[in-house]
Amino acid sequence: MATASAAAKEEVIGKLNVRVVRGTNLAIADPLTHTSDPYVVLQYGAQKVKTSVQKKNPNPVWNEVLQLSVTDPTKPVHLEVFDEDKFTADDSMGAAEINLTDIYDTAKLDLKHASNGTRIKTIYPVGVNYLGGESHVTWKDGKVVQDFILKLKKVDSGLIVLQLEWVHVPGVKL
């Protein structure tokens, strides 16, 4: 019976389009060139996706969409920024976690009569939630989106700007 419940837990309840917009004031990982070659890795359970590398840029603009399949909205997405190195292991440039409960809870609401641009929820930067500013969950163009500015931990500086978009999976009732 344990295998059936374990399999049920891994059922995909939705997809998450994560737009990695940009990084700001990222750590300098290459002291010789006084720059960094950053890229972002998102990990959710066994899934791992990453952006392209932005050469010699402490303020990179990616504007790339990465997709993850969501199985458990209480499990956060782990984000880590790395500096690409040619001859040694890539250096970590900071990490953060993305809480999915706010976007998931909003995706469960019946919003088809809401006006475009309606702000459903605001999350404030308190305690250890990694926020570098208010995060808003909004009804936009028929989709639930959440904007983030994440403060990277384990480094002196660095912010990552993201936008999450919840994608309903046909046949799955939240």
Side-chain angles (χ1 to χ4, degrees):
M1 196 64 148
T3 52
S5 65
K9 277 187 181 162
E10 291 305 307
E11 183 183 335
V12 174
I13 58 169
K15 302 257 187 198
L16 198 62
N17 285 339
V18 182
R19 180 177 298 279
V20 181
V21 180
R22 69 180 181 274
T24 306
N25 199 22
L26 297 181
I28 300 299
D30 296 328
L32 290 174
T33 58
H34 207 69
T35 187
S36 303
D37 302 321
Y39 64 94
V40 175
V41 174
L42 299 176
Q43 189 163 1
Y44 180 79
Q47 301 170 75
K48 199 178 217 177
V49 290
K50 69 181 198 173
T51 66
S52 62
V53 175
Q54 297 295 310
K55 297 286 187 192
K56 297 184 178 2
N57 195 346
N59 298 296
V61 175
W62 288 283
N63 207 23
E64 294 177 28
V65 177
L66 306 174
Q67 190 174 76
L68 296 167
S69 296
V70 179
T71 54
D72 178 357
T74 63
K75 191 188 318 178
V77 174
H78 181 74
L79 175 147
E80 192 161 3
V81 181
F82 288 95
D83 170 55
E84 182 185 60
D85 287 324
K86 280 221 177 351
F87 304 110
T88 59
D90 292 355
D91 304 311
S92 176
M93 295 172 59
E97 284 190 347
I98 304 166
N99 180 341
L100 300 183
T101 54
D102 296 307
I103 194 168
Y104 172 75
D105 289 345
T106 305
K108 290 192 295 187
L109 301 174
D110 179 7
L111 297 169
K112 61 180 166 280
H113 300 296
S115 302
N116 190 37
T118 299
R119 189 176 291 170
I120 310 298
K121 190 172 193 176
T122 299
I123 303 92
Y124 298 94
V126 292
V128 293
N129 67 4
Y130 297 95
L131 293 178
E134 291 180 2
S135 175
H136 303 287
V137 183
T138 308
W139 179 249
K140 192 172 177 182
D141 301 326
K143 297 184 183 327
V144 176
V145 296
Q146 183 173 6
D147 294 304
F148 278 96
I149 300 171
L150 293 176
K151 268 194 290 197
L152 297 174
K153 301 294 183 199
K154 305 178 194 158
V155 285
D156 294 337
S157 66
L159 297 172
I160 296 290
V161 177
L162 301 170
Q163 184 181 69
L164 305 184
E165 176 189 301
W166 185 267
V167 180
H168 287 282
V169 172
V172 174
K173 178 131 176 62
L174 299 179

